[in-house]
Amino acid sequence: MNYNKNKSEKSKLILILTGVLILVVIIFIAVTLAVNNNSDWKQSSTSNNISPDSVTFQDATESEDSEQETSGTEEEENYNYPKFADDAIKLDKSNIYSDYAALVDVETNEIIASRGAELKMNPASITKVMTLLVAVENISDFNATYTITYDMISPLIEQEAARAGFEDQETVTVTDLLYGMILPSGADATVALVEYVSKNEEAFVKLMNEKAEELGMTHTHFTNATGLYNEKHYSTAADLTILMREAMNNNICRKILGTVEYNTTSTQQHPGGILLQSTAFSRMYGSEVKGIEIIGAKTGFHDQARQCLASYAKAIDGKEYVLITGHAPTDMDTIWDAFAIYGTITGTYDMPTDLDTRTTTTTSNVYVIVTDEYGKLVTDENGNIVSELATSSNETTTETVPADDYQE
């Protein structure tokens, strides 16, 4: 009897201990679930209240039509974008003809003189600097050839677009196309390069916009490779300084943008080649501002953009500068503006203070370097280079220029 009684008591004790153990396990599970739920709630709450410091540059610039600021997160993320120097010169209509201008010190990446530098402008044929950069980066053989076709140049003739002068069925080198696009701003060479690199303009323009994004040109969008007017084709003077600086950092682009004249390779259509002359350098020598020399340039023009100029200069102390001037009335106004603005660096060229009271004309005189039938520079008996001053009446007067002042 005692044995059975003890056995019964042991069974009850085991049941009690088992129940206690089960209860402890249940309590432990309940506490764990409560802690996890509380943690999940906190995480969800945090994700719905994002700190301003965590917003990326891409988030902040999602809408290209929204107002942009050049400080805060955007400025920190876009390291390539030029900052305004504390003592930056503010130009206005009394100083320059161009409505848009930005002068950047390449070493410090600071805007040191400007007018409307961050306002939307149409870059016209300055666009071709991006076309040049993208083409050069995507060409492996610069001796490769491409054949121009009638279907390619016929629309350009009808549009009276500037052309390098290549003809139907003319086979030219890729290098000749690059010079033909930049020096005379040839649309024929541009179209040929686009088709050579990407087969069609849409694919090429995609590369252009990708490059602009890579460079931090946050206020730029391209719709074509030539710079023809399109409402959605735009940039700013500040953005274009980024482009010109990048192009001049590329040895091939730098050489082309700094070339005064170039003779294309002999072809069946042009046995002596075609003498190409820089539109930009035909309007200047590059050394008009003492102490600084313009070593690279590209012009641009159409009715909406008016006259534009991208230029790059090197001072006597070795420092380099990039300047964009745009939306000027005449072809020489943007050149005079460039001289005056570069003059703020050296103090050797007067900055106008009364342009707003002057009468602006729609014509201007242009000096043209004289060459012979073989494309060689003409000099007088003293070895001076001869140039012609083309006037609005199409009459010309000849003058001589010391050979030392002419930049190859």
Side-chain angles (χ1 to χ4, degrees):
M1 291 292 293
N2 288 336
Y3 170 78
N4 291 333
K5 182 178 180 181
N6 290 337
K7 184 177 181 181
S8 176
E9 290 176 352
K10 287 180 179 181
S11 297
K12 289 180 180 180
L13 182 60
I14 291 172
L15 289 173
I16 292 172
L17 292 174
T18 301
V20 171
L21 181 60
I22 292 173
L23 181 62
V24 170
V25 171
I26 292 173
I27 293 173
F28 176 78
I29 292 173
V31 171
T32 300
L33 289 173
V35 170
N36 287 340
N37 286 337
N38 185 52
S39 175
D40 289 344
W41 179 85
K42 288 182 178 180
Q43 184 176 359
S44 175
S45 175
T46 302
S47 66
N48 290 326
N49 294 277
I50 301 174
S51 167
D53 293 336
S54 68
V55 178
T56 65
F57 175 69
Q58 184 176 1
D59 295 328
T61 60
E62 187 172 355
S63 173
E64 59 186 26
D65 292 328
S66 63
E67 286 290 329
Q68 302 293 336
E69 298 181 358
T70 57
S71 60
T73 305
E74 177 180 343
E75 185 177 15
E76 294 170 3
E77 293 288 341
N78 191 357
Y79 63 89
N80 218 23
Y81 193 85
K83 317 301 186 295
F84 282 90
D86 293 336
D87 57 350
I89 299 172
K90 292 186 177 181
L91 304 169
D92 58 36
K93 61 184 179 180
S94 67
N95 307 128
I96 59 174
Y97 295 104
S98 301
D99 289 328
Y100 312 113
L103 173 66
V104 170
D105 181 325
V106 171
E107 181 181 352
T108 64
N109 197 27
E110 289 183 324
I111 297 175
I112 57 178
S114 70
R115 181 186 182 190
E118 296 182 304
L119 298 179
K120 183 183 290 187
M121 63 174 281
N122 194 293
S125 283
I126 293 179
T127 298
K128 293 186 177 78
V129 178
M130 176 62 85
T131 306
L132 171 68
L133 182 61
V134 170
V136 167
E137 291 183 345
N138 286 275
I139 293 172
S140 57
D141 181 5
F142 291 89
N143 292 317
T145 59
Y146 188 85
T147 301
I148 308 294
T149 66
Y150 175 79
D151 291 340
M152 181 187 302
I153 61 177
S154 178
L156 303 177
I157 296 174
E158 293 178 4
Q159 296 169 11
E160 297 183 349
R163 292 181 293 124
F166 299 118
E167 298 181 9
D168 178 32
Q169 299 305 309
E170 184 169 7
T171 300
V172 298
T173 67
V174 169
T175 296
D176 287 349
L177 292 176
L178 292 171
Y179 280 98
M181 174 177 66
I182 295 300
L183 271 61
S185 205
D188 48 353
T190 306
V191 172
L193 278 170
V194 166
E195 294 192 5
Y196 175 81
V197 172
S198 297
K199 305 302 181 185
N200 61 76
E201 189 171 34
E202 182 179 358
F204 192 91
V205 170
K206 184 174 184 290
L207 294 177
M208 294 171 66
N209 285 317
E210 288 174 352
K211 189 65 180 180
E213 182 178 0
E214 175 190 327
L215 294 177
M217 297 172 64
T218 55
H219 308 87
T220 296
H221 184 260
F222 298 109
T223 62
N224 61 76
T226 55
L228 293 174
Y229 175 73
N230 185 296
E231 190 177 277
K232 295 182 179 180
H233 187 102
Y234 59 84
S235 188
T236 67
D239 267 18
L240 291 172
T241 65
I242 299 174
L243 171 60
M244 190 64 175
R245 187 180 71 220
E246 183 70 14
M248 292 296 285
N249 280 336
N250 180 292
N251 290 335
I252 296 175
C253 295
R254 188 184 185 100
K255 181 178 180 181
I256 294 172
L257 289 165
T259 297
V260 175
E261 62 178 30
Y262 171 86
N263 210 87
T264 64
T265 308
S266 173
T267 64
Q268 182 180 353
Q269 289 79 0
H270 295 98
I274 302 174
L275 179 64
L276 305 174
Q277 294 181 315
S278 167
T279 304
F281 285 111
S282 71
R283 299 172 185 172
M284 59 180 171
Y285 300 114
S287 57
E288 286 85 347
V289 184
K290 292 182 180 178
I292 193 166
E293 179 185 4
I294 298 174
I295 61 174
K298 177 70 188 80
T299 58
F301 170 79
H302 58 60
D303 289 343
Q304 291 82 0
R306 305 180 83 182
Q307 297 289 342
C308 305
L309 176 70
S311 60
Y312 196 95
K314 187 173 184 178
I316 196 169
D317 61 2
K319 293 191 66 174
E320 296 183 339
Y321 302 86
V322 58
L323 171 65
I324 303 298
T325 46
H327 206 253
T330 75
D331 52 7
M332 287 302 295
D333 287 340
T334 188
I335 303 292
W336 305 138
D337 287 348
F339 295 160
I341 296 171
Y342 281 126
T344 63
I345 299 169
T346 62
T348 58
Y349 198 98
D350 292 336
M351 170 63 71
T353 58
D354 63 346
L355 293 186
D356 53 339
T357 63
R358 299 183 190 179
T359 301
T360 301
T361 59
T362 57
T363 61
S364 59
N365 295 330
V366 180
Y367 281 99
V368 180
I369 303 296
V370 178
T371 58
D372 61 20
E373 59 182 319
Y374 302 105
K376 302 298 183 181
L377 297 174
V378 174
T379 58
D380 62 12
E381 63 276 8
N382 297 318
N384 294 321
I385 296 168
V386 177
S387 65
E388 290 181 342
L389 176 62
T391 66
S392 58
S393 62
N394 291 325
E395 298 175 352
T396 60
T397 57
T398 301
E399 72 166 21
T400 59
V401 181
D404 290 342
D405 291 343
Y406 182 75
Q407 305 298 319
E408 288 291 345

